Amino acid sequence: MVLHDTLFDNMTAAHVRTTVGPKVHGTWNLHELLPRDLDFFVMLSSLAGVMGHRGQGNYGAGNIFQDYFANYRRSQGLRAMTIDIGYLLSVGFVAEHDEYVDHVKAMGLKVMRNSDLHGLLSTAVEGSDAHPAQIMCGLPFNEHDDAWYWIQDGRFAALRNLAAGTSAGRSATISLREELSLCGRVDENSIDLITAAMVQRLAKLMMMPEADIDAARPLSAYGVDSLVAVEVRNWVAREVAVEVSVFDLMANIPMRQLAGDLARKSALLNQEA
Ligand SMILES: NC(=O)c1ccc[n+]([C@@H]2O[C@H](COP(=O)([O-])OP(=O)(O)OC[C@H]3O[C@@H](n4cnc5c(N)ncnc54)[C@H](OP(=O)(O)O)[C@@H]3O)[C@@H](O)[C@H]2O)c1
């Protein structure tokens, strides 16, 4: 496992080689050099592959390789299983790097304990081909958060359906997009709505209380980096119907003023009124 996080736009071949290399070559070398009649061949992969963790396109690709490699080995009549881990609390890379803990929590991943991993490993070393070649663990299924960009992907439709079942009966909430459409024009009210929703979104992304965020300050004052800014940009496109650049979001202008600029460009609001 080697990480070299960067936005896909800025990713070089070297970023990919250093991250994908150990996963691909390490796996392939073991496959080539170990005896063919192994009782088990277990790979630890990451949900970064299936979920697409922000800034980890290179690492994700290495993990997807391992996921498919388990199927490849099985197609050759060989034993194999890959376990896609979300994150482990007390051992390993995430446990040793505090800066990643908030990151994985914000994605909604469930924490795994050593005993969970030991249980999965004992299943894997049983060597039964009755188990799937790829096991994913740590995905949530009983609650949803609109900060989870990955859940909108069609591959997670089954999880969404499960959550829809468990959340039936909760009071319906109205999205910013719907509120702006009802509002219909650029005025103090629509700008207030965008400002409040932006503060709420920022609090979730940065895992801090809303009360600690002052809309008179810029987004950058709260440690928003380019990865988080991409998330804000996507949210603005979806909820306010404006294409805005990461550069504009990172500019040193108060959030309230930014909300006004967005309102004046929103396709949801009547700009003539
Ligand atoms: N920890 C988690 O929460 C988590 C989450 C998702 C997936 N995973 C997966 O679980 C596996 C183990 O992760 P971990 O948390 O135990 O990581 P770790 O503690 O950082 O261990 C990384 C391992 O990779 C080896 N390594 C580092 N650079 C290498 C290179 N260039 N070529 C070959 N090997 C290299 C290290 O060898 P040395 O000891 O010799 O340095 C070490 O054995 C990884 O495949 C990772 O994708 C872990």
Side-chain angles (χ1 to χ4, degrees):
M1 175 192 194
V2 181
L3 293 183
H4 202 151
D5 295 1
T6 181
L7 282 182
F8 187 72
D9 287 351
N10 304 330
M11 201 171 280
T12 63
H15 285 122
V16 177
R17 265 189 223 109
T18 45
T19 305
V20 172
K23 291 256 172 198
V24 172
H25 300 306
T27 306
W28 185 259
N29 289 342
L30 291 170
H31 166 73
E32 286 277 279
L33 297 173
L34 289 169
R36 290 181 68 79
D37 60 347
L38 292 174
D39 293 326
F40 53 85
F41 184 100
V42 186
M43 291 169 278
L44 296 185
S45 175
S46 164
L47 286 179
V50 286
M51 291 171 65
H53 292 182
R54 284 192 306 247
Q56 294 192 334
N58 47 358
Y59 176 60
N63 288 295
I64 287 283
F65 171 82
Q66 292 186 299
D67 296 340
Y68 279 83
F69 199 75
N71 282 302
Y72 168 73
R73 271 184 63 93
R74 287 207 182 181
S75 74
Q76 310 273 305
L78 305 173
R79 289 276 159 81
M81 183 186 277
T82 179
I83 302 175
D84 293 357
I85 299 173
Y87 75 106
L88 280 154
L89 187 63
S90 48
V91 288
F93 183 87
V94 178
E96 289 159 16
H97 293 80
D98 289 345
E99 66 273 24
Y100 275 94
V101 176
D102 286 349
H103 208 57
V104 284
K105 275 191 191 158
M107 283 188 286
L109 299 186
K110 282 180 183 294
V111 63
M112 271 181 78
R113 297 175 195 284
N114 291 1
S115 54
D116 300 324
L117 182 63
H118 293 166
L120 283 164
L121 282 172
S122 55
T123 302
V125 300
E126 278 167 17
S128 166
D129 289 343
H131 301 305
Q134 177 184 6
I135 293 186
M136 301 174 210
C137 44
L139 286 168
F141 63 90
N142 55 354
E143 52 182 16
H144 275 178
D145 188 311
D146 61 1
W148 302 349
Y149 61 91
W150 53 272
I151 198 85
Q152 302 307 329
D153 190 302
R155 290 173 300 171
F156 297 107
L159 277 181
R160 284 205 302 274
N161 290 344
L162 268 174
T166 55
S167 65
R170 277 192 214 155
S171 62
T173 52
I174 175 167
S175 69
L176 174 64
R177 192 180 174 91
E178 287 164 326
E179 282 189 290
L180 290 178
S181 299
L182 289 173
C183 204
R185 58 184 191 162
V186 183
D187 57 11
E188 285 301 306
N189 184 26
S190 55
I191 297 173
D192 284 348
L193 286 171
I194 298 174
T195 309
M198 193 183 297
V199 166
Q200 210 175 43
R201 170 50 54 125
L202 182 64
K204 262 186 188 152
L205 286 170
M206 304 310 290
M207 303 195 72
M208 58 194 293
E210 266 178 66
D212 289 356
I213 297 179
D214 178 2
R217 302 186 70 199
L219 283 168
S220 55
Y222 294 95
V224 169
D225 61 13
S226 53
L227 289 179
V228 177
V230 168
E231 170 61 19
V232 177
R233 182 188 68 182
N234 295 344
W235 173 79
V236 166
R238 196 172 63 241
E239 296 293 330
V240 194
V242 180
E243 295 298 331
V244 65
S245 69
V246 166
F247 182 78
D248 287 339
L249 291 175
M250 300 290 276
N252 193 25
I253 61 166
M255 277 179 259
R256 167 87 194 170
Q257 189 183 328
L258 175 64
D261 294 346
L262 295 175
R264 282 183 285 279
K265 291 181 189 151
S266 172
L268 303 171
L269 301 172
N270 180 354
Q271 301 295 334
E272 305 299 319

